[in-house]
Amino acid sequence: MHNSIDPDINKPHNGTITKTTSRQIADRLGVSQATVSRVLRNVPGYQYSAKTRGRILEEAERMGYRPNAVASSLREGRTHVIGFHNQHSELDPLNIFMAEVIRSLQQTCLEIHHLLLLHNFAPDVSIPHRLAELTCGRIDALVVHLQENGPLAEGIALSGLPTVAIANRVASLPSVGCDEAAGIRLAMEHLIAHGHERIAFAYSTYPLEAAKARHEAYITEMEHRGWKPVSVPCSNHDTDTTLQALHSQSPQPTAVCCWNDVSALCLLRACNRAGVSVPDDLAIVGFDGVLDNRLLQRNLTTVDVQWARISDTAVELLMRMLRGESVPWVTNVLPKLRIGETT
Amino acid sequence: MHNSIDPDINKPHNGTITKTTSRQIADRLGVSQATVSRVLRNVPGYQYSAKTRGRILEEAERMGYRPNAVASSLREGRTHVIGFHNQHSELDPLNIFMAEVIRSLQQTCLEIHHLLLLHNFAPDVSIPHRLAELTCGRIDALVVHLQENGPLAEGIALSGLPTVAIANRVASLPSVGCDEAAGIRLAMEHLIAHGHERIAFAYSTYPLEAAKARHEAYITEMEHRGWKPVSVPCSNHDTDTTLQALHSQSPQPTAVCCWNDVSALCLLRACNRAGVSVPDDLAIVGFDGVLDNRLLQRNLTTVDVQWARISDTAVELLMRMLRGESVPWVTNVLPKLRIGETT
DNA sequence: TTGAGTTATGCATACGATTGCATAGAGAAT
DNA sequence: ATTCTCTATGCAATCGTATGCATAACTCAA
């Protein structure tokens, strides 16, 4: 790594931050530490003289006192931190969707005065180790995005850590996700209203529950109308093949529902290169609604999953679990169709 | 909010996670808690009999013991958590760049076995309150992305919390960023090699240090060649105006450097709508390199800031500060030109 | 002027792990 | 038998805050 470094200006840093404690304030003022703690937090049921109160407030201000969150957490048994477990594969630059999820979660946490701790693991990190990291008391609750149900989900469920799975349904955990079938229905009704009948589906080659649900909903919708489903694989990394697969059908589909936005954009790109006109030769619908249209050259028609509402709901459920209330095992958020220029 | 909820299946959750402690193991086995702690962590200098060791390991496994990270943090005085302070404005969906920064940081933290805690604040949260949240002991070190130097940066510097600013240079704190001038030079040399002379610059209407540095570098480069700089404002939200401003110049620029990728993409979109052919009528260069080309219809020529290396460097500096070493006040990472189809 | 009721405050423990120091017991050496 | 060295383990303090319970000082009515 070549860094151009200015060697003249260095910052000596002794590594030790001198944090003032409530005891220091108490000693300086000749009162007890309990008094300092109670005055500063205005604990109900305890009255202090205006004089004492004033002296403590002033001294705390003067010494720049900040209660140590780690100590409070230990004492109170809660940290006001929510964890988010995402898999390493989601660091894939194409997974713009994960960025949107993190942003939404962060926004929601902000509103309830909690912090978001990102638990990210390399793919080779074992499940016991992940569980250990998640259940070591650093977080009060957890949001997970898992590909599918499995030993990790089951381990988390067993641990007793209040957890909600988002996006993908996971049998062992309460989950909040998009009503995938409703989304597919919106997309297809939109296409049908525009005269399309030969509608294909570009399905995910990854084993994602949500992707599977979308695909199945598509098949149901087609069969329900007595039309033959046409499914082509779509891997993000090779949408030329997807396009060829569409073209090799006869009769050729006039529209295609893609299992997510990224695949839709990749396919759109393949169409551009291949001289296929969108939407005239082929209409394209995405699913997720995570990319701002201003970043794209053409507004993408897509099913907006509304991640913000999913995040809100997930965090709300967690808060209820922390209060000991029961929560619905499955929560669906209705998606919205966002009509763009690709249909 | 309309959620379709399955009311039949509820999850009663008592909210209390029964965590087993080292004391419980000790009591169950009739050994001291210290012994359990030392055996499980293999503390050097302490030898235990194979029998005791075996019993403890087995019992810990059986009871699913996980050392409480909050308690260790309190005792050890460090949390192994790195904070990231980002401003609320960066929740703007257009700020794809922040997603890339978070991803890079997370990746880097993963490698050194630390966790990343997102400190996000609403715009109206006061600086004292932000400082309080940052210095309450939850994190060992901090990465900040600030718009510019100011009271917050100074407060953080005063607090003694090991901190590195990224992307924007900040006078009060050590910082790691892109060598903006080198990046602009790369972009302009590329354009000039393609025969462009009338090169304009689309500058940011936001008060970002990095954006300012890019703009100044552009002016320097132009003047150095005896050419007159042409600067047009670019706000992301209204690039039509930017395009008009370019057209109203005479002679008209044949190329434009945009202060970042998002503005370049917005401008590209405006060109498409206005029937301006890129790169024939106008060549466009971006800056940041955060969007994967596969998401775009045409590969964008851009200056890749290499966020991953900036994150690596920032975290490495923090680790050195924690060890009490001194670090360079200013670190530059050299950007790379990524040539696409817009030039 | 004594007991009841307030007001204002302190003592001491708990949260769970880490760690410096002490020590009991087993051999070994003198 | 006495001292000495290990080996293997325990005791107790500490990190900083929160909180149940106790209590001193003061007011007030009887």
Side-chain angles (χ1 to χ4, degrees):
Chain A
M1 192 191 296
H2 172 106
N3 295 335
S4 67
I5 286 173
D6 180 344
D8 289 349
I9 317 175
N10 275 6
K11 188 195 183 182
H13 195 289
N14 60 9
T16 34
I17 318 170
T18 48
K19 283 280 297 169
T20 70
T21 69
S22 54
R23 157 125 304 123
Q24 283 173 25
I25 295 179
D27 291 348
R28 196 95 60 195
L29 260 44
V31 299
S32 81
Q33 179 265 330
T35 299
V36 173
S37 175
R38 284 195 266 245
V39 162
L40 290 177
R41 286 175 312 120
N42 257 311
V43 177
Y46 283 86
Q47 299 178 10
Y48 287 93
S49 66
K51 189 181 147 197
T52 305
R53 178 179 298 275
R55 286 172 64 216
I56 290 175
L57 290 172
E58 191 191 343
E59 187 68 11
E61 172 67 26
R62 207 181 60 71
M63 300 181 67
Y65 170 72
R66 294 299 157 203
N68 184 310
V70 172
S72 319
S73 295
L74 177 58
R75 174 65 221 233
E76 291 192 79
R78 51 185 317 210
T79 61
H80 299 277
V81 174
I82 291 176
F84 176 59
H85 175 281
N86 57 346
Q87 289 169 285
H88 186 263
S89 63
E90 284 143 10
L91 293 177
D92 177 349
L94 273 187
N95 224 317
I96 277 303
F97 137 84
M98 199 44 53
E100 176 66 18
V101 168
I102 291 178
R103 168 167 43 227
S104 303
L105 277 174
Q106 207 185 340
Q107 175 69 44
T108 308
C109 287
L110 185 158
E111 283 157 14
I112 59 164
H113 303 289
H114 278 234
L115 293 171
L116 187 64
L117 184 61
L118 301 181
H119 285 266
N120 177 39
F121 298 101
D124 57 356
V125 172
S126 72
I127 287 171
H129 191 271
R130 285 173 197 238
L131 280 171
E133 282 286 311
L134 293 172
T135 60
C136 66
R138 241 190 274 265
I139 54 178
D140 292 339
L142 179 67
V143 176
V144 292
H145 175 251
L146 299 170
Q147 308 238 131
E148 51 194 345
N149 198 30
L152 182 57
E154 282 158 20
I156 292 172
L158 269 175
S159 78
L161 181 69
T163 304
V164 168
I166 57 169
N168 287 320
R169 301 264 168 267
V170 161
S172 327
L173 297 167
S175 59
V176 180
C178 166
D179 187 336
E180 318 285 359
I184 290 295
R185 237 173 286 131
L186 285 174
M188 293 186 65
E189 279 162 11
H190 168 69
L191 288 172
I192 292 165
H194 281 66
H196 295 279
E197 293 199 353
R198 299 195 303 281
I199 303 170
F201 189 85
Y203 66 88
S204 171
T205 53
Y206 306 113
L208 291 162
E209 285 301 321
K212 220 179 291 175
R214 292 169 194 177
H215 191 191
E216 281 162 13
Y218 158 78
I219 293 173
T220 306
E221 286 298 308
M222 289 297 277
E223 289 177 345
H224 174 252
R225 289 179 171 78
W227 298 340
K228 188 169 160 285
V230 175
S231 303
V232 294
C234 182
S235 74
N236 281 355
H237 299 290
D238 182 15
T239 36
D240 289 335
T241 309
T242 308
L243 190 55
Q244 282 165 24
L246 284 172
H247 278 162
S248 69
Q249 304 290 327
S250 71
Q252 280 200 11
T254 59
V256 55
C257 287
C258 297
W259 74 273
N260 75 349
D261 280 350
V262 172
S263 60
L265 290 171
C266 291
L267 186 59
L268 185 57
R269 183 182 165 100
C271 286
N272 278 1
R273 296 192 185 277
V276 175
S277 166
V278 176
D280 297 336
D281 297 345
L282 185 69
I284 297 181
V285 183
F287 207 117
D288 270 349
V290 291
L291 266 180
D292 193 290
N293 272 330
R294 283 169 291 182
L295 294 177
L296 308 175
Q297 294 316 298
R298 310 178 59 192
N299 295 350
L300 177 70
T301 296
T302 189
V303 178
D304 183 346
V305 161
Q306 308 204 73
W307 293 106
R309 274 181 46 189
I310 290 184
S311 301
D312 279 351
T313 309
V315 172
E316 190 198 319
L317 292 184
L318 290 176
M319 292 300 119
R320 278 160 56 183
M321 288 164 86
L322 285 172
R323 287 196 298 268
E325 301 169 16
S326 66
V327 302
W329 194 260
V330 169
T331 307
N332 276 328
V333 169
L334 279 183
K336 267 191 199 154
L337 185 69
R338 192 171 16 175
I339 298 171
E341 301 158 344
T342 56
T343 52
Chain B
M1 192 191 291
H2 172 106
N3 295 335
S4 67
I5 286 174
D6 180 344
D8 288 349
I9 317 174
N10 273 7
K11 186 192 185 186
H13 196 288
N14 59 10
T16 33
I17 318 171
T18 50
K19 284 281 296 168
T20 70
T21 70
S22 55
R23 156 125 307 121
Q24 284 173 23
I25 296 179
D27 290 349
R28 196 96 58 194
L29 261 45
V31 300
S32 81
Q33 181 265 330
T35 299
V36 174
S37 175
R38 282 195 268 247
V39 162
L40 290 177
R41 285 175 311 122
N42 257 312
V43 177
Y46 284 86
Q47 301 177 9
Y48 288 92
S49 68
K51 188 180 147 200
T52 305
R53 178 179 298 277
R55 286 173 63 219
I56 290 175
L57 289 172
E58 191 191 342
E59 188 67 11
E61 171 68 25
R62 207 181 59 73
M63 299 181 66
Y65 171 70
R66 296 298 157 204
N68 183 312
V70 172
S72 321
S73 296
L74 178 59
R75 173 62 221 233
E76 291 192 77
R78 50 184 318 213
T79 60
H80 299 277
V81 173
I82 291 177
F84 177 59
H85 176 280
N86 58 346
Q87 290 169 284
H88 186 263
S89 63
E90 282 141 11
L91 293 178
D92 177 349
L94 273 186
N95 224 318
I96 276 305
F97 136 85
M98 198 46 52
E100 177 65 18
V101 169
I102 290 177
R103 171 168 39 228
S104 304
L105 278 174
Q106 205 186 341
Q107 174 69 44
T108 309
C109 287
L110 184 157
E111 283 159 13
I112 60 164
H113 302 290
H114 278 235
L115 293 171
L116 187 63
L117 185 60
L118 301 182
H119 285 266
N120 177 38
F121 297 102
D124 57 355
V125 172
S126 73
I127 288 172
H129 191 271
R130 285 173 195 239
L131 281 171
E133 282 287 310
L134 293 171
T135 61
C136 66
R138 242 190 274 264
I139 55 178
D140 292 339
L142 179 66
V143 176
V144 291
H145 175 250
L146 299 170
Q147 309 239 129
E148 52 193 343
N149 199 29
L152 181 57
E154 283 158 20
I156 292 172
L158 270 176
S159 78
L161 181 70
T163 304
V164 168
I166 57 170
N168 288 320
R169 302 262 168 266
V170 161
S172 326
L173 296 168
S175 59
V176 180
C178 166
D179 187 335
E180 318 285 359
I184 289 295
R185 236 175 285 130
L186 285 174
M188 293 187 64
E189 279 161 11
H190 168 69
L191 288 173
I192 292 165
H194 280 66
H196 294 280
E197 292 200 352
R198 297 194 304 281
I199 303 170
F201 189 86
Y203 67 88
S204 170
T205 52
Y206 306 113
L208 290 161
E209 285 300 321
K212 222 181 289 176
R214 291 169 195 178
H215 191 190
E216 281 162 12
Y218 158 79
I219 293 173
T220 306
E221 286 298 308
M222 289 297 276
E223 289 177 343
H224 175 252
R225 289 177 170 81
W227 298 339
K228 187 169 160 284
V230 176
S231 304
V232 294
C234 183
S235 74
N236 283 353
H237 299 291
D238 182 15
T239 36
D240 288 334
T241 309
T242 309
L243 188 55
Q244 282 166 24
L246 284 171
H247 278 163
S248 68
Q249 305 289 328
S250 72
Q252 280 200 12
T254 60
V256 56
C257 288
C258 296
W259 76 273
N260 75 349
D261 279 350
V262 171
S263 60
L265 289 171
C266 290
L267 186 60
L268 185 57
R269 183 182 166 99
C271 286
N272 277 2
R273 296 192 186 276
V276 175
S277 165
V278 177
D280 299 334
D281 298 344
L282 184 69
I284 296 181
V285 183
F287 207 117
D288 270 348
V290 291
L291 266 180
D292 192 290
N293 271 331
R294 284 170 290 181
L295 293 177
L296 308 175
Q297 293 317 298
R298 309 178 58 192
N299 295 348
L300 177 70
T301 297
T302 188
V303 178
D304 183 346
V305 160
Q306 308 203 72
W307 293 106
R309 274 180 48 189
I310 290 184
S311 302
D312 279 350
T313 310
V315 172
E316 190 197 318
L317 292 184
L318 289 176
M319 291 300 118
R320 278 161 57 184
M321 289 165 85
L322 285 173
R323 287 197 297 269
E325 301 169 18
S326 66
V327 302
W329 195 259
V330 170
T331 307
N332 275 328
V333 169
L334 279 183
K336 267 191 196 154
L337 186 68
R338 194 156 73 194
I339 298 172
E341 301 159 342
T342 55
T343 52

